[in-house]
Amino acid sequence: MKTIGVLTSGGDAPGMNAALRAVVRTGIYNNVRILGIKQGYNGLINGNIEEMNLSSVADIIHRGGTILRTARCEEFATESGIKKAKNVIEIFDIDGLVVLGGDGSFRGAKLLSDNGVPTVGVPCTIDNDMGYTDYTVGFFTAVETVVDAISKIRDTSSSHGRANIVEVMGRRCGDIALYAGFAGGAESIIVPEEGIDIDEVCRKLIQSRNRGKLHSIIALAEGVGNAYEFAKEIEEKTGTETRVTILGHIQRGGVPTAFDRIIASKMGYRAVELLLEGKSGKAIGVKENSIVDMDFEEALSINNEFDSEMYDIAKILSI
Ligand code: F6P
């Protein structure tokens, strides 16, 4: 393997740069030429490609975003998209590819691998919604961001004696709400995996208010329902003024935590190792503190298991 291409795809995640740095440096250490493909699969289709060297990835381990930029590329999922990508791969003499992204990006990576291009994937998404790996790169940084926001919102919640709904990202996965709500001491955590019981939220709110608690934080995962409608219902049922904060894309940026940098670097390193060992079609992950890999097909078929034990503990600790 003489040339490896690397791209970042889908929603960006803090720690993608650390993974990229690991891919580039491990490749160069092994005398492999590394090509950086810009803007995800778009760059692969259009030949937006630049050779990388040791200094291209200097000073990025601590930076959020992705220096290669990213995109969600619909054309890539089509037959003509794959054909164009294969042509570019041939023109640039790319022998193997590392894809840094979430499950949509991995589906693209699998297509390439099925079409004879040696490809491996490193899971990078704040959602932590890939069941085959314990954690994805970016998740814990997003959780830190949300916990920090909850602490700030709790101050004003107490001052005003209000309830505050904090809506977080996660697509169809409640992990950000669960982990951040747990660590931030939220009074209620609402996730798609468990559904919503507004009366239970209101009961808790009234009981804790009667005990003299001034604040009430409700961590709500996106996709469960409309935060403003929930707020209206809570206000009507409890008489407590309720505000909504939708954290949005603030969760996607920022300095990656040490943990995200560490798993990103280990998995980026392993990605190049796997290609050099002649392996293809592999998703890399973290299981019980070890770096593991498995076929894309199997990895993509494993549903994310929601930690209902943690959810139940959170309920008990927030009585
Ligand atoms: O997958 C990451 C994520 O941030 C989700 O949590 C969210 O639903 C989605 O991407 C938002 O996508 P976009 O940045 O394209 O609006």
Side-chain angles (χ1 to χ4, degrees):
M1 183 144 311
K2 293 199 180 104
T3 303
I4 290 176
V6 57
L7 61 83
T8 52
S9 159
D12 57 354
M16 267 183 165
N17 278 329
L20 173 65
R21 170 180 174 270
V23 170
V24 172
R25 297 239 163 123
T26 309
I28 292 174
Y29 174 81
N30 286 289
N31 300 316
V32 174
R33 185 169 75 117
I34 302 287
L35 298 182
I37 300 156
K38 308 272 182 75
Q39 277 186 287
Y41 291 116
N42 278 338
L44 194 58
I45 285 175
N46 303 318
N48 190 359
I49 294 173
E50 217 173 78
E51 182 160 352
M52 306 196 77
N53 56 42
L54 293 176
S55 349
S56 346
V57 288
D59 204 24
I60 64 164
I61 194 167
H62 60 297
R63 288 186 204 278
T66 156
I67 61 162
L68 283 182
R69 306 191 56 225
T70 186
R72 301 190 195 278
C73 176
E74 280 171 19
E75 190 187 352
F76 190 70
T78 66
E79 214 173 291
S80 86
I82 287 283
K83 207 167 155 206
K84 284 186 199 166
K86 277 202 77 175
N87 285 339
V88 170
I89 284 168
E90 238 177 80
I91 293 166
F92 282 83
D93 287 326
I94 294 173
D95 305 309
L97 191 70
V98 180
V99 171
L100 313 179
D103 60 348
S105 309
F106 274 27
R107 283 178 218 287
K110 181 180 178 303
L111 270 180
L112 278 175
S113 166
D114 293 347
N115 278 275
V117 181
T119 306
V120 297
V122 174
C124 298
T125 164
I126 63 165
D127 298 341
N128 205 37
D129 58 350
M130 302 173 84
Y132 80 95
T133 179
D134 286 344
Y135 301 112
T136 56
V137 173
F139 169 63
F140 274 109
T141 305
V143 168
E144 288 293 342
T145 301
V146 176
V147 170
D148 182 50
I150 287 178
S151 304
K152 288 172 176 155
I153 291 169
R154 188 201 287 252
D155 288 345
T156 168
S157 188
S158 299
S159 305
H160 289 264
R162 283 175 177 155
N164 286 77
I165 296 179
V166 182
E167 187 189 286
V168 303
M169 281 185 166
R171 213 177 281 274
R172 285 170 296 279
C173 177
D175 279 15
I176 298 180
L178 174 66
Y179 279 66
F182 194 101
E187 276 61 40
S188 293
I189 296 173
I190 304 167
V191 291
E193 294 86 345
E194 300 281 342
I196 180 164
D197 180 350
I198 279 276
D199 288 343
E200 164 78 0
V201 173
C202 294
R203 188 188 55 75
K204 273 185 137 176
L205 202 161
I206 293 168
Q207 276 178 352
S208 59
R209 189 177 65 193
N210 290 345
R211 273 201 340 258
K213 209 181 219 186
L214 296 174
H215 66 267
S216 184
I217 301 292
I218 300 153
L220 169 70
E222 68 176 350
V224 178
N226 187 303
Y228 292 96
E229 280 168 18
F230 291 150
K232 198 161 160 262
E233 199 176 336
I234 292 168
E235 236 175 49
E236 278 166 10
K237 287 187 167 160
T238 64
T240 293
E241 229 185 339
T242 306
R243 293 284 191 267
V244 172
T245 307
I246 296 180
L247 291 181
H249 288 84
I250 193 169
Q251 296 159 93
R252 287 250 294 269
V255 173
T257 60
F259 182 76
D260 274 333
R261 297 182 206 188
I262 291 166
I263 61 170
S265 302
K266 283 187 174 180
M267 289 195 282
Y269 171 85
R270 184 71 188 127
V272 174
E273 252 191 4
L274 279 177
L275 287 175
L276 293 177
E277 285 166 13
K279 309 240 171 75
S280 173
K282 298 282 182 191
I284 301 169
V286 188
K287 269 281 171 205
E288 289 161 11
N289 219 16
S290 297
I291 302 301
V292 297
D293 61 81
M294 69 175 73
D295 289 344
F296 279 133
E297 175 128 16
E298 190 187 350
L300 288 167
S301 73
I302 299 176
N303 288 330
N304 198 40
E305 209 174 302
F306 183 70
D307 191 343
S308 44
E309 195 185 328
M310 185 169 170
Y311 178 79
D312 290 340
I313 297 172
K315 270 189 170 173
I316 292 169
L317 301 187
S318 64
I319 45 174

